[in-house]
Amino acid sequence: MSENALERMAWLVKELNHHIYNYHVLDAPTIPDAEYDKLFRELQALETQHPEAVSVDSPTSRVGAAPIPEFKQVTHAVPMLSLNNGFSDEDIDNFDRRVRDGLGRAQVQYAAELKFDGLAMSLRYENGVFVQAATRGDGYTGEDVTANIRTVKVIPLRLRGDDIPAVLEVRGEVLMFKEDFERLNQRQRDAGQKEFANPRNAAAGSLRQLDARITAQRRLRFFAYGIGLLEGAPLPESHSKALDWLDQLGLPVAKERAVVTGCEGLLGYFHDIGARRKSLPYEIDGVVYKVDRLADQRELGFVSRAPRFALAHKFPAEEALTTVSAIDVQVGRTGAITPVARLVPVSVGGVTVTNATLHNEDEVRRKDVRVGDTVVVRRAGDVIPEVLSVVLERRPTPVPPVYELPKTCPVCGSHVVREEGEAIARCSGGLTCAAQRKEAIRHFAGRRMMDIEGLGDRYIDSLVEANLIHGVADLYRLTLDDLLKMKRLADERDGTTPETVKQGKVATKWADNLLAAIAASKHPPLERLLFALGIRHVGESTAKTLADWLGSLALVRRAPAPLLRVLPDIGGTVAEAIADFFAEEKNQQALNDLLAAGVAPQGEHAPRAQLREKLDDVGLLAALGIPKLTEPRARQLLADGRTLDDLAHLKIFSVFGLPEGVVTALEQWMAVPGNRAMLAALAALRTELLAQLPQDAVDAAGPLSGKTFVLTGTLPTMSRDAAGALIEQAGGKVSGSVSKKTSYVVAGAEAGSKLEKAEQLGVTVLDEAGLLALLGAQNSIK
Ligand code: IVH
């Protein structure tokens, strides 16, 4: 073997280790990654050629050794003991007093440092070379995790400098940074594997791998906090100097350390670190105080298994165990239903916790929290306490039942709905539920809704709190006296009673104005009233579609979902939400109250004539949302003159030649309570509407009826939707694709294949102006 190769290998090891140190310990890379990789590969190649010359501290050994059957036991030359804990200022004062008494001194200096929330580790260096890593175990014997620790890049495989002791055992903590933990959990999730509960567990799980190659993929870190054994070099005179020395030897030592004096100094450090805790990239569970002078430490010695010279000052625990006494639900101001665990009171982080959120139904299921369970609750900072997990071993017998969300709202008794794909269940009593009252009234009175000028949030809050209004209809029954009472309460509450009022002079102009504004809001266009009701998913445009097509509140409030669903731009979820709102008896009652209070929409009209086309029974049947029941299947069912009403009363569906799957789906759907009745109601409403609607829909439907339009490209002044609405208003149809049957293609800028197709088929092409002219011309003909 050539001298050159040997020298080159030695140089590469040194060079690479230097870069690893700069990158991982100092966090200050000195060469580009690609350059590092090149040198690394060169070393690997040389090592393959000269396996006998592989250096003990070669960075190539960090990739992880082959799996081992078990960890070997290691006896610690110096035991790894634990620390006593302190929590209160008083505990710290007592500690300082005991130390001063023990040393017979008036003042003592302490080394203060972080209490890392990881795993204790002992690293053994012989003549500067890393030879062994051991876990703490029971403090006297631990496990040999050398192969795993070799993969931790911040741990040097050879100590730096000239001042190298014959034997050095470094004590410190292995941990995982918060961001590496998050990344690891993301990878676990992506791979469908179990996530780790916290960085500490993740670090432990990564370290305890018999296959060190897995450890190598997890980014573990290390901070040194002391010396276990030292041979062949003098011990520094103080702990703080020992840490400085470890730092010089190339070991990672946290910067957040200080030398302080007396109890005051200790508490100052504690508060300072407490304030910086969140911004540290890793988790700590407190700070550690150690008498700085090592001679003093020796003098103080140990009691049982903990040093007298040191104390862990822990942050208040953020997690605690307690039992679930009940699971209730809370109703938010928008109706969101949140399950809440009622707990046997427990102190978490110095605060008594009696409730914890369970977020939503799926979360309760996932964690499988049941009444009577022992649970881990967590309270971090200002956030709402939450139930983290159940201690299954402590589940009582007989085993409590699986939790189910109530079917009705605990506040108002309305039914609870959970839409498909939504995690949150909601109370459907929007107009009447006390939990949602303020929000419902606020929405109702809004500018784009009933537009009650002067009825701001402050007054709404006061009116509700003073019990003057319970629902929106009560607004229309308010008297001048009510408003004055409300104002007085509001002023008192906010401490803003005006001087004039204090002097007994009551201004009433504002109240008169408000009453006038309320009265003036009684006759809104139907779409505004519909929007004001606060029906989930019903915004201005859906409200307008409902008003345009159905014409009257009477019809909207009794339209079943399938009928709503065939209206333009109303999908399944929206149709369900509307029907659901009106299915709630309490909402119907609230509407009746409104009408009784004199609210009446203006300009109601008969349903739009084109509704006739939408009342096609096949379309309606397909809109029922019965699984597998496509339009062709619906047509098959309605063949031979069968009607929707016939179907609502049929018992056997297997006689129409439908595939078995469709028959089963149908039968299952019919078996759901309420579905048959809904179908019968739909059939009846359809018949009724058909009788009302003009027979000759084409004529009545408007000037463009019978004409099919395709819109493509960007129109200069209006959106395609707006143009489509104009066409439909004039009775035309809008389609998505061009065929021979297309009457007109309306093309804007950057029209593509549809325009080409129109030209091929000889379909008339219009621009926006052409369309408007057509609409205008048609209007004038009309
Ligand atoms: S000194 C004889 N310093 O806390 C005292 N320990 O109960 C030896 N820990 O498992 C420990 N940060 O792993 C010391 N700055 C620190 C520490 C620390 C965390 C852990 C240690 C041990 C436990 C002591």
Side-chain angles (χ1 to χ4, degrees):
M1 173 173 183
S2 74
E3 273 297 296
N4 259 351
L6 246 184
E7 268 174 31
R8 181 70 182 166
M9 282 169 78
W11 180 83
L12 282 168
V13 167
K14 213 166 165 203
E15 182 72 6
L16 287 165
N17 278 341
H18 179 66
H19 292 307
I20 292 176
Y21 174 77
N22 287 342
Y23 185 94
H24 291 278
V25 182
L26 300 185
D27 202 13
T30 31
I31 53 163
D33 289 359
E35 191 61 28
Y36 175 90
D37 292 343
K38 209 170 108 197
L39 295 176
F40 191 89
R41 280 195 300 271
E42 186 188 345
L43 178 61
Q44 269 180 322
L46 284 169
E47 287 182 348
T48 320
Q49 285 167 33
H50 310 290
E52 74 292 349
V54 174
S55 169
V56 284
D57 60 336
S58 169
T60 59
S61 67
R62 287 189 186 272
V63 293
I68 50 168
E70 59 175 9
F71 295 113
K72 282 204 292 279
Q73 296 276 305
V74 177
T75 305
H76 299 301
V78 174
M80 296 178 77
L81 301 181
S82 54
L83 294 167
N84 285 322
N85 293 327
F87 294 93
S88 61
D89 289 7
E90 201 188 338
D91 292 344
I92 310 311
D93 197 40
N94 288 338
F95 165 70
D96 177 50
R97 177 154 353 92
R98 282 195 305 272
V99 167
R100 279 185 287 116
D101 290 352
L103 295 174
R105 234 177 293 141
Q107 242 185 9
V108 175
Q109 289 211 315
Y110 297 95
E113 60 200 54
L114 305 178
K115 184 163 192 317
F116 307 99
D117 196 6
L119 303 120
M121 188 62 54
S122 185
L123 308 176
R124 186 175 167 95
Y125 288 88
E126 292 177 2
N127 298 316
V129 176
F130 169 71
V131 292
Q132 190 175 58
T135 63
R136 176 172 163 206
D138 64 4
Y140 300 94
T141 27
E143 285 176 327
D144 183 339
V145 287
T146 311
N148 308 65
I149 287 300
R150 210 174 257 290
T151 70
V152 179
K153 302 278 196 355
V154 292
I155 293 179
L157 298 179
R158 182 187 290 278
L159 298 176
R160 300 167 66 83
D162 310 319
D163 214 2
I164 303 296
V167 179
L168 170 68
E169 276 188 18
V170 180
R171 298 283 160 85
E173 199 92 345
V174 169
L175 47 79
M176 193 179 277
F177 275 20
K178 293 185 236 177
E179 61 170 25
D180 295 324
F181 162 73
E182 298 295 343
R183 234 176 273 146
L184 170 61
N185 262 357
Q186 183 61 50
R187 282 209 314 262
Q188 294 287 104
R189 269 198 296 280
D190 293 346
Q193 292 189 329
K194 207 171 155 281
E195 291 177 50
F196 294 98
N198 52 48
R200 185 176 191 284
N201 285 5
S206 306
L207 194 65
R208 287 201 46 85
Q209 295 288 339
L210 291 168
D211 186 348
R213 289 169 302 194
I214 297 178
T215 316
Q217 291 162 18
R218 313 272 176 87
R219 194 158 179 194
L220 292 175
R221 318 264 184 159
F222 175 84
F223 285 110
Y225 56 61
I227 293 175
L229 181 72
L230 180 64
E231 287 172 13
L235 256 181
E237 67 177 53
S238 68
H239 181 71
S240 50
K241 291 211 167 103
L243 292 184
D244 293 344
W245 183 46
L246 293 178
D247 179 51
Q248 283 160 25
L249 290 172
L251 286 149
V253 184
K255 293 190 303 294
E256 288 78 9
R257 57 185 198 273
V259 176
V260 298
T261 308
C263 180
E264 213 169 294
L266 296 175
L267 292 177
Y269 177 79
F270 179 75
H271 292 299
D272 177 38
I273 294 299
R276 284 153 64 188
R277 180 181 185 186
K278 264 215 184 97
S279 59
L280 289 172
Y282 44 87
E283 291 195 344
I284 57 173
D285 55 350
V287 299
V288 181
Y289 309 136
K290 296 168 185 169
V291 170
D292 198 26
R293 272 192 48 184
L294 297 189
D296 290 345
Q297 289 193 359
R298 277 189 293 274
E299 190 176 336
L300 287 163
F302 295 79
V303 232
S304 69
R305 296 184 42 159
R308 266 201 206 91
F309 57 81
L311 185 77
H313 190 176
K314 303 262 286 240
F315 295 129
E318 292 190 321
E319 292 175 17
L321 281 186
T322 184
T323 34
V324 176
S325 48
I327 301 177
D328 292 342
V329 295
Q330 255 165 18
V331 189
R333 59 186 183 90
T334 58
I337 303 260
T338 310
V340 177
R342 306 288 177 209
L343 306 168
V344 171
V346 60
S347 171
V348 191
V351 173
T352 303
V353 172
T354 50
N355 301 311
T357 179
L358 289 161
H359 301 290
N360 58 51
E361 192 177 17
D362 291 346
E363 278 288 296
V364 190
R365 286 282 163 80
R366 197 174 63 76
K367 292 176 184 158
D368 191 19
V369 183
R370 306 186 189 191
V371 175
D373 272 345
T374 300
V375 291
V376 182
V377 271
R378 182 190 176 88
R379 192 194 71 94
D382 314 325
V383 303
I384 305 167
E386 61 169 347
V387 170
L388 275 192
S389 58
V390 173
V391 185
L392 279 178
E393 305 84 69
R394 296 215 208 156
R395 176 161 282 170
T397 39
V399 173
V402 173
Y403 174 75
E404 289 207 32
L405 215 61
K407 301 271 182 290
T408 54
C409 170
V411 176
C412 73
S414 300
H415 65 282
V416 167
V417 205
R418 185 171 160 197
E419 284 172 12
E420 224 177 284
E422 280 271 324
I424 304 287
R426 287 171 195 283
C427 161
S428 59
L431 275 185
T432 50
C433 183
Q436 302 170 66
R437 210 167 270 163
K438 287 182 184 172
E439 200 59 29
I441 296 169
R442 204 162 288 160
H443 177 81
F444 184 83
R447 206 173 48 77
R448 281 148 50 225
M449 299 78 174
M450 300 298 271
D451 191 20
I452 305 179
E453 220 185 302
L455 188 63
D457 290 0
R458 184 166 170 255
Y459 286 170
I460 293 172
D461 288 353
S462 308
L463 285 168
V464 171
E465 281 157 25
N467 256 330
L468 290 166
I469 46 176
H470 297 99
V472 286
D474 295 335
L475 284 171
Y476 296 94
R477 299 196 192 97
L478 287 171
T479 62
L480 187 65
D481 278 351
D482 289 337
L483 289 185
L484 295 180
K485 181 176 166 201
M486 174 275 286
K487 180 82 161 47
R488 204 171 51 242
L489 287 169
D491 287 345
E492 269 169 32
R493 184 193 58 196
D494 305 346
T496 53
T497 311
E499 272 311 308
T500 46
V501 174
K502 286 184 195 152
Q503 292 157 17
K505 292 179 215 154
V506 181
T508 57
K509 182 121 186 71
W510 67 270
D512 287 333
N513 286 344
L514 183 52
L515 286 175
I518 293 174
S521 75
K522 279 186 177 175
H523 304 291
L526 178 58
E527 61 259 33
R528 304 245 313 227
L529 175 60
L530 289 173
F531 182 32
L533 296 178
I535 305 168
R536 199 160 152 72
H537 298 308
V538 177
E540 276 169 298
S541 106
T542 304
K544 187 153 173 26
T545 303
L546 291 172
D548 279 357
W549 279 82
L550 301 181
S552 67
L553 180 61
L555 183 53
V556 173
R557 68 193 290 190
R558 62 185 278 235
L563 175 62
L564 297 167
R565 203 178 162 171
V566 295
L567 301 181
D569 297 325
I570 295 189
T573 314
V574 182
E576 288 293 340
I578 301 166
D580 222 279
F581 178 89
F582 291 111
E584 181 51 56
E585 196 46 49
K586 295 204 159 74
N587 289 335
Q588 291 281 1
Q589 187 54 49
L591 258 185
N592 289 342
D593 287 352
L594 266 179
L595 300 181
V599 172
Q602 55 167 301
E604 286 188 299
H605 52 78
R608 203 163 159 178
Q610 295 101 306
L611 187 59
R612 174 172 285 278
E613 290 166 42
K614 308 272 179 196
L615 292 180
D616 157 50
D617 52 359
V618 172
L620 284 175
L621 186 57
L624 279 172
I626 303 174
K628 301 188 180 161
L629 197 78
T630 54
E631 273 212 30
R633 299 298 179 208
R635 188 160 296 117
Q636 211 171 330
L637 263 172
L638 290 168
D640 307 324
R642 274 183 300 279
T643 64
L644 288 177
D645 193 56
D646 292 340
L647 293 184
H649 296 96
L650 261 178
K651 292 270 175 303
I652 297 163
F653 294 92
S654 54
V655 292
F656 309 119
L658 291 168
E660 216 179 286
V662 181
V663 173
T664 317
L666 245 171
E667 284 171 354
Q668 280 171 355
W669 189 86
M670 291 284 178
V672 175
N675 277 355
R676 262 182 202 277
M678 196 263 278
L679 181 55
L682 176 65
L685 183 59
R686 173 174 180 269
T687 314
E688 185 186 323
L689 284 171
L690 286 176
Q692 263 180 43
L693 289 164
Q695 280 298 326
D696 194 351
V698 176
D699 258 8
L704 293 188
S705 61
K707 301 272 186 278
T708 309
F709 288 73
V710 172
L711 298 158
T712 176
T714 311
L715 302 179
T717 72
M718 58 175 121
S719 69
R720 282 204 297 272
D721 281 350
L726 284 178
I727 292 168
E728 284 184 351
Q729 255 170 37
K733 252 195 184 167
V734 178
S735 156
S737 57
V738 182
S739 73
K740 274 191 289 190
K741 291 189 189 150
T742 309
S743 321
Y744 299 99
V745 165
V746 182
E750 283 164 53
S753 61
K754 290 181 188 170
L755 178 57
E756 271 172 37
K757 184 122 188 241
E759 281 161 357
Q760 272 170 24
L761 296 172
V763 173
T764 311
V765 177
L766 302 172
D767 57 7
E768 185 187 285
L771 170 68
L772 292 173
L774 191 64
L775 284 163
Q778 298 283 357
N779 283 344
S780 60
I781 289 165
K782 198 184 167 194

